[in-house]
Amino acid sequence: MSAAVTALLVTATACTSGTQQRRDSSTPTTVRPSAATRPAVTQRPYDKTPARPLGEAAAGSRDHAFLQAAFAVPTPPGHKAPPADEVVVIHRLDAENGELAWMADGRTFCYGKIREGYSSYSCGLLPEEPPAPGLLLTLRGEPDRVTSADNLDEVRVVSFVIAEGGPARFDHVKRGKGASPVHQAVAKFPSGRMVTFLTYDHPYGPLDLEAEICRSDRRVCFLSVDMPH
C-alpha cells in the first residue's frame, strides 16, 4: 500500500460531508443492577499490543479506495485510525464499501461500516463478562443507510460480533429469510491469541427471532437478531 494511504490511516484527515457517527459503545445503555446484587467481575489479562489480520483480511492494494473512504472522517473521540497493517477487512462489498475492524489492544475494539460515502463507527471496550461462551462482543444490527418511510423494503440491517479464537468458520444454522452470508475475518495478537470478527445483514423486517449462527464445531452459537449487549 502506498505511503500516502498509510499516512491517511494514521492521521484520519477530517471531512464532514456525508458523515454518520454512532455512539461510543463503551458507554453502557442497559440498566445495571445495584451494587448489592451486581455479580463480581472476573478480571482477565489482556494483550497490550495490537492484533493484526490474517490471510485475506489484510488490507492490500485493492483496498486503496475503501480505506480512503473509511478514514476520510475522524474516528470517535479517544480512538485513532490504525496503521494499514492493523486494519482487518471483514467484508468487501465493492471497491469503496464494506466493513472493517481493529483492536489496538486485547480489550479495545473499533468497528467501521462504510456505505456510499457514509462512515459509521462503534468503538469501546469489550465487556469484562462475555455475552455468551465463546463470544466477546455482540452489537445489535443497525440500518446500512439513511432511511425514509418510502424505502424501508430496501434497507439492510448489519450486525457485528467478536468471537474468541480462529479460524473455525461460522455459518447460519437456521437462516432467516433474506439473510446474507456470514462474513468473517481473523486477527492475531503477538501473544498468539486470535479473535474472529463477524458481520452479517438481513432485511429491516420482519425478523426471524429463531435464526441462529454457529461455529463449525457447534460450541459457539448465537441468535442472529435481538442479540444481548
Side-chain angles (χ1 to χ4, degrees):
M1 177 168 293
S2 69
V5 174
T6 302
L8 174 66
L9 296 179
V10 174
T11 59
T13 304
C15 174
T16 58
S17 176
T19 302
Q20 293 179 325
Q21 291 194 6
R22 289 155 42 185
R23 64 174 178 83
D24 187 326
S25 56
S26 63
T27 303
T29 58
T30 55
V31 177
R32 291 182 175 273
S34 68
T37 60
R38 190 179 304 154
V41 171
T42 302
Q43 297 293 332
R44 298 187 291 170
Y46 291 101
D47 292 90
K48 303 298 184 183
T49 50
R52 284 181 165 77
L54 298 181
E56 290 294 308
S61 58
R62 61 177 168 170
D63 300 305
H64 179 91
F66 176 45
L67 298 184
Q68 282 190 317
F71 295 106
V73 298
T75 52
H79 302 272
K80 62 181 181 179
D85 64 352
E86 294 174 15
V87 175
V88 182
V89 181
I90 308 168
H91 179 206
R92 297 171 174 92
L93 186 60
D94 57 36
E96 296 185 1
N97 298 281
E99 293 107 41
L100 52 78
W102 67 92
M103 293 189 72
D105 55 54
R107 194 180 178 199
T108 307
F109 77 92
C110 276
Y111 159 61
K113 176 165 56 68
I114 298 83
R115 293 291 190 277
E116 300 175 2
Y118 292 91
S119 297
S120 62
Y121 290 97
S122 290
C123 293
L125 300 177
L126 300 179
E128 284 285 355
E129 291 297 323
L135 298 181
L136 296 174
L137 177 80
T138 58
L139 291 182
R140 293 178 186 273
E142 293 191 5
D144 69 351
R145 68 183 71 187
V146 177
T147 65
S148 71
D150 297 328
N151 70 342
L152 291 181
D153 290 342
E154 302 174 10
V155 175
R156 306 290 294 182
V157 175
V158 186
S159 295
F160 173 68
V161 173
I162 305 178
E164 284 275 18
R169 299 289 297 178
F170 284 80
D171 206 348
H172 296 279
V173 174
K174 184 180 187 301
R175 187 166 184 162
K177 183 178 180 180
S180 78
V182 179
H183 307 287
Q184 50 207 295
V186 178
K188 185 176 182 180
F189 291 94
S191 67
R193 177 179 175 234
M194 292 189 289
V195 293
T196 299
F197 301 106
L198 309 167
T199 62
Y200 54 94
D201 59 84
H202 55 78
Y204 188 79
L207 303 178
D208 183 347
L209 300 180
E210 296 183 356
E212 188 178 32
I213 293 172
C214 290
R215 199 170 67 183
S216 57
D217 59 10
R218 298 295 191 269
R219 293 185 178 181
V220 181
C221 293
F222 55 91
L223 295 177
S224 303
V225 298
D226 197 29
M227 297 183 300
H229 283 284

